């Protein structure tokens, strides 16, 4: 089933941006892939008017926003023709979020991927995006990539802490990335920092693309310490013997086998005289 042409008003909140597409990915293939996440309304891959080849990205509109969020969760960084694709919200304004806190990460091991970069550098702040530069033919890592933060404080901390550290048995290099429109100027300049301070855009939401749980889920409550073990109660005190009834001591009972004692005031019988 061929996707319909993009002739209606697109719902930006239910639309995903899909980047890093191979040249042989067309709209029909992208449509069938994204159907795994939910009902698709429209797929659009812009093409160059002269060469009629697409520029490596496209847009997928789902029926509702929940389907788009689910597609971001399960489709981001899956490999299509051996190359990981990027899936995020089309409504995200990258120019607004990109304050220039972008780091270049070099000397990467071939096994380092975008998720490992995200997991490693998220310790320093909110990571907006991670990217590994790959060979267009094989999809293998070229040994370097980029990490973008939402503020310079996080990027400075990551630069100071991670430059020269080992990641997958290789000592990585970390520095501010060179600007796209310049051959020598790097991000992190005083002008960029001043612009970021004077033009706050609000804190960006953390990158949820690699989260294990559902997006927006609240973190589990902290575990409470177990109660202290109960101590054994002291043994109960034995009750005192009951008092004598009537206030008088009990009558004396002679031991068994002993001769009976004569009554009080009566002398004992005289023994007969010897013969």
């Amino acid at each position: 089933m061929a996707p319909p042409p993009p002739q209606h008003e697109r719902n930006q909140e239910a639309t995903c941006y899909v980047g890093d597409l191979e040249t042989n990915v067309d709209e029909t293939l992208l449509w069938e892939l994204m159907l795994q996440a939910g009902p698709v309304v429209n797929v659009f891959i812009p093409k160059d008017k002269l060469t009629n080849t697409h520029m490596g990205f496209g847009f997928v509109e789902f029926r509702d926003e929940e389907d788009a969020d689910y597609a971001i969760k399960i489709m981001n960084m899956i490999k299509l023709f051996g190359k990981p694709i990027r899936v995020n919200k089309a409504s995200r304004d990258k120019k607004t979020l990109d304050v220039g806190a972008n780091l270049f990460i070099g000397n990467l091991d071939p096994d380092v991927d975008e998720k490992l970069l995200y997991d490693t550098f998220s310790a320093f702040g909110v990571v907006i995006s991670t990217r590994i530069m790959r060979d267009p033919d094989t999809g293998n890592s070229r040994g370097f990539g980029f990490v973008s933060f939402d503020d310079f404080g996080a990027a400075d901390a990551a630069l100071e802490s991670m430059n020269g550290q080992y990641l997958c048995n290789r000592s990585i290099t970390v520095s501010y990335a060179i600007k796209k429109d310049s051959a020598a100027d790097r991000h992190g300049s005083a002008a960029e920092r001043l612009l970021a301070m004077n033009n706050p855009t609000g804190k960006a939401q953390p990158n949820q693309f690699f989260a294990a749980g559902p997006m927006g889920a609240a973190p589990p409550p902290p575990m409470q310490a177990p109660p202290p073990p109960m101590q054994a109660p002291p043994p109960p005190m034995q009750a005192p013997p009951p008092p004598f009834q009537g206030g008088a001591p009990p009558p004396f009972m002679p031991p068994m086998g002993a001769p009976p004692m004569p009554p009080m005031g009566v002398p004992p019988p005289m023994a007969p005289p010897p013969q």
Side-chain angles (χ1 to χ4, degrees), residues 166-244:
Y166 281 83
L167 193 61
C168 287
N169 299 321
R170 278 196 185 182
S171 177
I172 63 174
T173 61
V174 182
S175 61
Y176 273 100
I178 297 177
K179 297 180 181 180
K180 291 183 178 180
D181 54 354
S182 174
D185 293 338
R186 293 183 180 272
H187 287 287
S189 63
E192 273 187 326
R193 295 171 186 266
L194 185 61
L195 284 174
M197 291 177 59
N198 294 337
N199 187 26
T201 57
K203 280 292 182 180
Q205 294 298 318
N207 187 319
Q208 300 274 352
F209 304 152
F210 302 118
M215 294 185 64
M223 295 183 62
Q224 296 182 354
M230 296 183 62
Q231 297 181 355
M237 296 181 62
Q238 296 183 355
F244 296 127

Side-chain angles (χ1 to χ4, degrees), residues 9-242:
E9 186 74 18
R10 186 164 60 211
N11 181 2
Q12 285 291 103
E13 296 301 324
T15 301
C16 290
Y17 167 87
V18 185
D20 293 344
L21 296 176
E22 285 287 348
T23 55
N24 52 349
V25 176
D26 58 12
E27 292 177 341
T28 301
L29 178 60
L30 191 59
W31 180 290
E32 294 176 353
L33 174 67
M34 291 300 169
L35 274 177
Q36 311 304 315
V40 176
V41 175
N42 184 34
V43 173
F44 176 57
I45 300 180
K47 296 181 179 179
D48 186 274
K49 294 181 179 180
L50 298 179
T51 63
N52 201 33
T53 58
H54 68 71
M55 294 173 284
F57 67 93
F59 300 92
V60 178
E61 181 184 355
F62 290 90
R63 185 174 59 187
D64 51 47
E65 186 176 354
E66 287 75 17
D67 295 327
D69 291 338
Y70 185 61
I72 292 172
K73 178 184 175 184
I74 68 171
M75 293 296 182
N76 188 59
M77 291 301 148
I78 69 167
K79 289 187 177 181
L80 197 57
F81 294 107
K83 181 179 180 180
I85 64 175
R86 291 186 297 116
V87 184
N88 54 38
K89 269 295 184 68
S91 59
R92 172 174 288 181
D93 189 350
K94 290 182 177 295
K95 292 183 179 179
T96 301
L97 295 179
D98 187 4
V99 298
N102 306 327
L103 298 180
F104 170 86
I105 317 297
N107 197 36
L108 291 176
D109 186 273
D111 292 335
V112 175
D113 59 7
E114 285 82 355
K115 185 178 187 303
L116 182 55
L117 278 186
Y118 170 80
D119 292 341
T120 302
F121 284 87
S122 289
F124 304 98
V126 176
V127 173
I128 299 302
S129 65
T130 59
R131 186 178 182 185
I132 301 290
M133 303 307 295
R134 302 179 182 275
D135 185 278
D137 297 326
T138 64
N140 295 331
S141 171
R142 295 169 59 187
F144 65 93
F146 299 92
V147 176
S148 296
F149 289 94
D150 73 333
D151 62 62
F152 285 101
D156 290 340
L159 172 61
E160 182 179 356
S161 300
M162 292 303 299
N163 186 39
Q165 295 296 321
Y166 281 83
L167 193 61
C168 287
N169 299 321
R170 278 196 185 182
S171 177
I172 63 174
T173 61
V174 182
S175 61
Y176 273 100
I178 297 177
K179 297 180 181 180
K180 291 183 178 180
D181 54 354
S182 174
D185 293 338
R186 293 183 180 272
H187 287 287
S189 63
E192 273 187 326
R193 295 171 186 266
L194 185 61
L195 284 174
M197 291 177 59
N198 294 337
N199 187 26
T201 57
K203 280 292 182 180
Q205 294 298 318
N207 187 319
Q208 300 274 352
F209 304 152
F210 302 118
M215 294 185 64
M223 295 183 62
Q224 296 182 354
M230 296 183 62
Q231 297 181 355
M237 296 181 62
Q238 296 183 355

